[in-house]
Amino acid sequence: ADGYYLNTMGECVYSTSDYSDMVFLQSYSFNKVVELQYNSTLGKFVGFTEIGVKQAENMNKNQALLQQLKDQVDTQCRHNAQILDPAVRDKT
């Protein structure tokens, strides 16, 4: 189909049961190519394409946005993992 494909995806990644290694990633894709990504461990955006690098530079100047995204580790990731993990871990 003609047109453009734009997508934003948030992910919570962790491997320990105490969630100490929890990372929030938010990826921005255009036509199925990841242009840039926010990483809560780094505390900033990283660009993966020429346009993505420019976007990351501009978005990294917005301290309020960076703090809001960094807070997602606790408000979204850790919170939901604590609710959902027991249901998955208790299954045999």
Side-chain angles (χ1 to χ4, degrees), residues 9-10 12-13 17 25 32 67 75-76 81-82 84-86:
M9 182 176 71
C12 302
V13 181
S17 59
L25 303 170
K32 300 183 182 181
Q67 186 59 50
T75 60
Q76 181 179 329
Q82 289 170 338
L84 299 172
D85 266 4

Side-chain angles (χ1 to χ4, degrees), residues 4 6 8 14 16 18 28 30-31 45 47 52 61 64-65 84:
Y4 299 104
L6 194 58
T8 302
Y14 59 97
T16 60
D18 67 353
Y28 299 81
F30 181 72
N31 287 346
F45 286 92
K61 294 175 186 175
L65 175 61
L84 299 172

Side-chain angles (χ1 to χ4, degrees), residues 62-81:
N62 186 339
Q63 293 301 313
L65 175 61
L66 294 176
Q67 186 59 50
Q68 180 183 10
L69 289 169
K70 190 169 188 166
D71 291 345
Q72 292 296 312
V73 172
D74 291 320
T75 60
Q76 181 179 329
C77 294
R78 201 166 278 122
H79 170 76
N80 288 324

